[in-house]
Amino acid sequence: MQIYNSLTRQKEPFQPLNPEHVTIYVCGPTVYSYAHIGNARPAVVFDVLARLMRVLYKRVTFVRNITDIDDKINAAAAAAGVEIGEITTRYEQAYMDDLAALGVAPADRTPRVTEHMEDIIRAISDLIRGGHAYEAEGHVLFDVNSYPEYGRLSGRDRREMIAGARVEVAPYKRDAADFVLWKPSADDQPGWESPWGRGRPGWHIECSAMAAAHLGETIDIHAGGSDLQFPHHENEIAQSVCWHGGKEYARYWMHNGLLNLDGQKMAKSTGNLVNIRDVLEQVPGEVARYVLLSAHYRQPLDWTDEVLAQARSTLDRVYRALEGLGAVEPTDSEPSVEFMDALEDDLNTPRALAEVAELVRAANKAETDRERGAIKGQLLACGELLGLFQADPAEWFGGGADDESAEIDALVAQRQAARSNKDFATADRIRDELAARGIVIEDSADGVRWRRTG
């Protein structure tokens, strides 16, 4: 397994700290509104990573957190006139429902910030004792100058980092780049008692505390969107390494590229977004999942109606191939070597999907049940790792095949009616018309099937 490590900016062999147990932490959502399809990309991509790791290693613990205390949540609750718990419960469930529709398996653990306040307070206290954090006007801040390697992950100089973080250069900070670990809460804001007064945690310390609580001081893979690389992940590294006496925080960092809509980054802050549930009203979740895996995870991805239509058509071809294999029992099989090589090469899903296309072509040409069984087994095994092709073909098409498939079904029915009426000229004309479109009709004792030839 090779992974591109954002920290070293190169592809490296993956070697877990414990060969018997791989640990993965992925930054989850802040639950104050419906998630957009860009939020789904890390969930889908790193779901495939977890599936692959479970094949390669004996034990995997996959953690994806929920941020359920945040100023955006406070604002949403205030606007709605409800407690923050009502907002977070509503949108966390919506997020989980959306992920399930996209075929994302539940994480092994889903920690929430509000359930780890003692861990957060303990971490901050340890950082103060270690000389890496200080109190100032009711706040606790991390002293970036106490960590000489600050900035290594993002590769930015100090001025770029401050501008990129959009930090408030508050008078109580020793350095403009120092970031908040704890801040005071007003009477009308959620808060917890602490040695520094009633308040709430800063965003960055939350993930460090939850990762340590569930995976230990050093984790194998920390993943998330590239927009989190700075300041969030940069700050996580600094505070975690200092908290744990210099121990490495994460051995490998993986960052997925962002989604673009109309050529611009998809983001709630700009309103340039499409919610996951809006997409799910337009296409099945499997179509959206296919699109999210169609480009290499580190590259940006353009989200358009055209790519959705193309994904639907491609999935139709796969399901037509599986339908064409009929009742043939799949041979117990593993994914092809080429397919596994693709995924083990820094999760190269486009190349893996190209191998699936080769299997589809082979399925459409297979002549013996033995060939068909082997190909069907490989197709299903590849699909299981990708979280695709697991539906029954009849259900897939019954759930709303594309217009072309519906048209082909109608032509096949017309051909059957013509044959029944001994109008063989019409039947042959329809058959030839479909053949010109790459559609082969197969007559058998079990009925009539059609399949695409490529």
Side-chain angles (χ1 to χ4, degrees):
M1 179 75 187
Q2 298 277 322
I3 289 178
Y4 181 87
N5 189 347
S6 301
L7 187 64
T8 61
R9 296 170 181 77
Q10 63 184 3
K11 199 181 293 186
E12 301 174 355
F14 176 65
Q15 297 176 334
L17 189 64
N18 177 357
E20 298 291 313
H21 184 196
V22 174
T23 55
I24 304 172
Y25 185 95
V26 175
C27 285
T30 300
V31 285
Y32 68 95
S33 65
Y34 292 114
H36 63 74
I37 195 65
N39 301 139
R41 193 178 194 190
V44 168
V45 165
F46 300 121
D47 174 60
V48 174
L49 175 69
R51 290 169 186 251
L52 177 62
M53 289 297 181
R54 293 187 201 283
V55 171
L56 300 178
Y57 292 93
K58 184 176 181 179
R59 182 185 172 201
V60 174
T61 301
F62 181 87
V63 174
R64 182 176 55 239
N65 78 289
I66 295 290
T67 298
D68 61 347
I69 176 64
D70 181 88
D71 288 346
K72 292 177 181 177
I73 295 172
N74 297 343
V82 298
E83 296 293 324
I84 65 167
E86 187 171 332
I87 294 293
T88 58
T89 299
R90 178 192 308 164
Y91 289 114
E92 179 183 341
Q93 186 58 55
Y95 178 74
M96 295 303 182
D97 291 344
D98 289 345
L99 292 197
L102 293 171
V104 176
D108 295 307
R109 299 174 192 172
T110 307
R112 298 169 184 82
V113 175
T114 56
E115 298 169 350
H116 289 77
M117 211 54 66
E118 289 184 8
D119 297 314
I120 292 168
I121 292 172
R122 186 182 310 114
I124 296 172
S125 298
D126 289 346
L127 286 167
I128 292 173
R129 280 194 295 270
H132 299 289
Y134 59 94
E135 298 178 59
E137 297 185 19
H139 296 74
V140 179
L141 298 107
F142 183 84
D143 180 2
V144 296
N145 289 306
S146 73
Y147 182 61
E149 292 192 38
Y150 188 77
R152 181 184 171 200
L153 178 67
S154 58
R156 305 185 185 195
D157 66 29
R158 182 61 60 85
R159 286 172 299 179
E160 289 177 330
M161 286 190 284
I162 294 172
R166 301 187 298 275
V167 296
E168 177 187 358
V169 185
Y172 49 78
K173 287 187 176 183
R174 295 177 182 172
D175 188 289
D178 291 352
F179 56 89
V180 172
L181 301 175
W182 189 265
K183 53 190 172 183
S185 291
D187 291 341
D188 61 344
Q189 293 176 320
W192 288 260
E193 294 301 326
S194 79
W196 320 288
R198 182 177 176 275
R200 60 198 190 279
W203 176 32
H204 313 300
I205 193 64
E206 299 167 351
C207 281
S208 289
M210 288 185 287
H214 292 275
L215 298 175
E217 295 180 348
T218 299
I219 56 182
D220 289 315
I221 298 173
H222 195 311
S226 59
D227 55 330
L228 298 180
Q229 195 166 354
F230 184 84
H232 186 48
H233 290 164
E234 190 80 73
N235 291 351
E236 274 192 71
I237 292 173
Q239 64 200 12
S240 295
V241 171
C242 293
W243 177 24
H244 298 133
K247 290 182 181 178
E248 188 175 28
Y249 175 43
R251 295 165 58 80
Y252 301 86
W253 287 85
M254 299 179 72
H255 291 97
N256 64 273
L258 304 181
L259 260 62
N260 297 321
L261 183 67
D262 297 327
Q264 296 182 334
K265 184 184 81 169
M266 198 176 292
K268 289 179 181 177
S269 59
T270 62
N272 186 54
L273 54 83
V274 177
N275 287 341
I276 298 173
R277 51 196 44 220
D278 294 333
V279 172
L280 295 174
E281 290 180 0
Q282 183 181 0
V283 296
E286 189 168 343
V287 173
R289 184 182 179 96
Y290 188 99
V291 172
L292 293 170
L293 296 176
S294 62
H296 193 279
Y297 78 90
R298 287 193 284 115
Q299 301 303 316
L301 174 63
D302 291 322
W303 189 268
T304 66
D305 289 340
E306 289 75 19
V307 297
L308 282 172
Q310 184 178 2
R312 181 65 200 246
S313 180
T314 301
L315 284 167
D316 278 349
R317 284 197 291 274
V318 177
Y319 277 108
R320 282 295 178 199
L322 288 169
E323 184 181 56
L325 295 172
V328 174
E329 284 296 319
T331 303
D332 287 339
S333 180
E334 297 179 351
S336 67
V337 172
E338 294 80 8
F339 177 89
M340 290 299 293
D341 284 347
L343 287 189
E344 290 180 40
D345 180 16
D346 192 35
L347 218 62
N348 193 331
T349 54
R351 187 152 65 89
L353 290 170
E355 293 300 328
V356 168
E358 290 296 325
L359 284 173
V360 169
R361 281 189 276 273
N364 291 332
K365 295 177 181 177
E367 297 179 353
T368 68
D369 283 352
R370 182 175 180 180
E371 287 180 284
R372 291 175 174 229
I375 293 169
K376 188 174 184 179
Q378 285 201 326
L379 264 177
L380 293 174
C382 292
E384 186 173 3
L385 269 178
L386 294 172
L388 299 170
F389 328 135
Q390 302 302 296
D392 182 271
E395 292 180 4
W396 173 260
F397 290 113
D402 62 16
D403 292 342
E404 183 189 20
S405 297
E407 179 191 357
I408 294 169
D409 287 337
L411 287 171
V412 170
Q414 290 174 27
R415 175 180 175 270
Q416 286 302 99
R419 291 185 71 189
S420 298
N421 294 328
K422 300 189 183 302
D423 182 0
F424 298 113
T426 298
D428 290 345
R429 177 181 58 77
I430 294 173
R431 181 198 62 204
D432 293 342
E433 178 185 334
L434 290 172
R437 294 167 60 175
I439 306 299
V440 173
I441 295 177
E442 297 175 337
D443 297 303
S444 70
D446 296 327
V448 181
R449 294 196 300 263
W450 64 267
R451 60 180 173 84
R452 291 181 171 92
T453 57

